[in-house]
Amino acid sequence: MDRKTIDKLTHLSKLSIPENDVDELIINLENILKLIGEIDAAPTEGMEPMAHPLDFNQPLREDKPIKDINRSENQNDTSKTKDGYYIVPKIID
Amino acid sequence: MNFKSVKEILTAIKNKDVSVIELTSNYLDKIKERDDELNCFITLTEEFALDKARKIDEEIAKNKVRALSGLPIAQKDIFCTKNIKTSCGSKMLDNFVSPYNATVIEKLNNAGTIMLGKTNMDEFAMGSSNETSFYGPVKNPWDTEYVPGGSSGGSASAVAARISPCSTGTDTGGSIRQPASLCGICGLKPTYGRVSRYGMIAFASSLDQAGIFTTDALDAAILLKEISGYDEKDSTSSSVEVPDYHSYCLSDTNYNYTVGIPEEFVKDLNDDVKKVFYDSVKVLEKIGCKIKTINLKYTSLGVSAYQVVAPAECSSNLSRFDGVRYGHRSDNSSDLENLYRESRSEGFGKEVKRRILVGTYALSAGYYDAYYLKAQKVRNLIANDFRDAFDQVDLIIGPTTPDKAFKIGEKMNDPIAMYLSDVYTVSTNLAGLPAMSIPMGFKENMPLGLQIIGNHFDEKNILKISHLYQQETDWHKREPGK
């Protein structure tokens, strides 16, 4: 774990870390990686990965339209919306 | 007005011994008296509560009584509540008012409960002490210098302090059971999929489960029935039938349980906790349980696997918080990329950022196989451990936590120490099993909890054995300061 890795991770996760906090963060993350590195020695040959603890199947429903999403209820913060769109800084110069 | 249980409250309301408005006002007064000190609540929903109380009183006057008519309840601030702020303990959602109710909220509202307020919690459910909340730490009512546990610390502290008769919580790695243990109350995490997660702000979607805090097992049985069941809005909710847990607890079925104690859960205990635990084992033997030593040999890998899976899933779930559609939006953004980065950096606290970064690392190119895929295989190892164990025993027990509550601030600068305090709880989430913590005694005047783990969808036997235990002991009746 070094600054280059932190830069990559913060870029991927859209976060910024104050310069003063980076050294402490590196130490914390190194310790966490040591902890999670204990799984390296686990005997998992031939083991399937378990994404979910129970054997669920995706339930399906009829391919029919259902209740509309209420746009005005969901966009109740009017300062960020106009005519149903979300207002953001200019994307294209 | 001093009701000792949910059952007592429901009976008194049904018999018109107390009006709902009187009862609700009484609890609201208790909250106002204690909450400056304890900080259990982020939002007190006084008007909402009194308004609903009046409506329920009108129904009762016409002899219309619902399953939980008039029962005051505190709701963890992770559940979306329509037209009421839902903050998830974070600056990111400090301004968020949900346009809809979570299914858990809807079910409890429809059953007639009165929401007293939204309880404080570790930010986005990430924590084991309720110290990461944007709204400040919650205090343990047994000693306010100590943490109540987390992430559902506000919900646990409120019930322990008797300023709410019951509350909801969520449990991803122990966040109901651990605070229940540290606060001396009952906390139940159902089987993954037993309770709908619709409207419950996601932390780790394959681990999260909603549950409840009460002062005794019978109360938990009453509430579990009302929140359980298939929900078409949650594709991971189960259609396994919901039994009448309360009737089962009281039934004459004298089930002689074979109860397993994993060696791995007791070998590192300190002497004080060991003594309290083995005293509780004697009580179980007295009520007819057969005790057997078993092994859950991959227990030691639970925290490591959990600290890959949970951060990985959280890094994905929290990517929705981008400052565009809801939640905190930075004023300092010159372009869209900047808007995302500054909104997220300003909105999230240290622990949340740490976990997002760990999760991003575990899922990134070159590391996915070594970390995330490996952790998912370890998860299978742990689940197999439990499968083998349940071939030999009906239930598994151990202490919920390695020790009593710690002091506020004691572990904040040591994330590893904080993570390791979940060693007995995380495996249950990885395997999707139900488990409950019930009070089992004290160490240095601070409560300790007994964890009872059951097989998938076997909440009824967890509740029954807890009820039988509570007929022989009075730990669950002890109150702070009395």
Side-chain angles (χ1 to χ4, degrees), chain A residues 16 28 44 47-48 50 87, chain B residues 329 345 354 376 380 384:
Chain A
S16 63
N28 283 160
T44 55
M47 212 75 205
E48 285 297 309
M50 181 189 232
I87 301 168
Chain B
R329 177 188 277 217
S345 303
R354 197 154 40 217
Q376 296 286 49
N380 216 341
N384 282 345

Side-chain angles (χ1 to χ4, degrees), chain B residues 415-482:
Chain B
I416 303 298
M418 193 75 86
Y419 299 160
L420 289 173
S421 66
D422 293 334
V423 62
Y424 301 135
T425 52
V426 291
S427 299
T428 317
N429 298 85
L430 290 166
L433 295 166
M436 184 160 173
S437 180
I438 59 174
M440 71 168 175
F442 288 81
K443 174 185 167 179
E444 294 160 11
N445 299 317
M446 294 298 286
L448 292 170
L450 172 69
Q451 179 173 226
I452 304 165
I453 304 169
N455 211 338
H456 293 121
F457 300 105
D458 199 25
E459 287 85 353
K460 66 179 194 285
N461 283 310
I462 294 174
L463 288 161
K464 188 169 174 78
I465 199 176
S466 300
H467 171 59
L468 293 171
Y469 177 90
Q470 287 177 344
Q471 299 215 286
E472 299 293 324
T473 60
D474 70 349
W475 303 120
H476 59 291
K477 294 181 183 174
R478 305 278 180 100
E479 293 179 34
K482 291 192 183 167

Side-chain angles (χ1 to χ4, degrees), chain B residues 246-314:
Chain B
H246 186 251
S247 298
Y248 185 82
C249 286
L250 297 177
S251 68
D252 287 335
T253 321
N254 200 11
Y255 201 111
N256 293 316
Y257 297 106
T258 301
V259 174
I261 301 177
E263 277 186 350
E264 294 81 4
F265 279 19
V266 294
K267 65 182 175 66
D268 295 323
L269 288 180
N270 66 56
D271 289 341
D272 296 317
V273 176
K274 203 176 261 192
K275 180 181 183 325
V276 172
F277 172 67
Y278 279 105
D279 284 346
S280 73
V281 173
K282 286 182 196 145
V283 174
L284 292 175
E285 285 176 313
K286 185 182 169 195
I287 62 175
C289 294
K290 187 175 145 196
I291 306 295
K292 186 175 172 159
T293 300
I294 60 171
N295 286 103
L296 291 174
K297 53 188 185 293
Y298 298 112
T299 298
S300 61
L301 294 176
V303 173
S304 305
Y306 174 83
Q307 288 299 339
V308 175
V309 172
E313 293 186 9
C314 104

Side-chain angles (χ1 to χ4, degrees), chain A residues 1 5-6 8-18 21 24-25 27-54 56-61 66 70 72-77 79-81 86-91, chain B residues 82 97 99 191-193 206 230 235-236 238 298 300-301 303-305 307-308 323-327 329 333-337 339-342 344-345 348 350 353-354 356-358 360-361 365 371 373-381 383-384 387 415-416 419-420 430-432 456-457:
Chain A
M1 190 57 62
T5 309
I6 298 285
K8 181 185 166 193
L9 294 177
T10 52
H11 171 70
L12 287 172
S13 54
K14 302 283 183 277
L15 288 173
S16 63
I17 307 292
D21 292 347
E24 185 195 345
L25 178 66
I27 294 171
N28 283 160
L29 293 182
E30 278 178 340
N31 288 337
I32 293 169
L33 290 182
K34 251 189 237 151
L35 171 70
I36 66 181
E38 288 178 15
I39 61 174
D40 276 348
T44 55
E45 299 75 34
M47 212 75 205
E48 285 297 309
M50 181 189 232
H52 265 276
L54 280 100
F56 284 133
N57 289 316
Q58 176 68 48
L60 300 175
R61 63 174 178 86
I66 53 173
N70 187 324
S72 61
E73 253 187 16
N74 289 342
Q75 291 183 331
N76 58 14
D77 183 351
S79 64
K80 295 183 207 157
T81 61
Y86 292 97
I87 301 168
V88 295
K90 204 167 173 186
I91 300 168
Chain B
K82 187 169 180 168
V97 177
T191 306
Y192 179 86
S206 76
Y230 176 67
S235 61
T236 63
S238 170
Y298 298 112
S300 61
L301 294 176
V303 173
S304 305
Q307 288 299 339
V308 175
V324 173
R325 291 150 298 150
Y326 43 73
R329 177 188 277 217
S333 29
S334 50
D335 57 42
L336 187 61
E337 183 83 12
L339 175 73
Y340 296 152
R341 193 171 50 249
E342 294 312 309
R344 288 165 62 78
S345 303
F348 292 140
K350 262 189 180 173
K353 285 183 197 166
R354 197 154 40 217
I356 289 173
L357 291 172
V358 170
T360 305
Y361 184 80
Y371 287 107
L373 199 62
K374 181 77 177 183
Q376 296 286 49
K377 292 179 181 182
V378 170
R379 190 172 180 176
N380 216 341
L381 280 179
N384 282 345
R387 267 183 222 117
I416 303 298
Y419 299 160
L420 289 173
L430 290 166
H456 293 121
F457 300 105

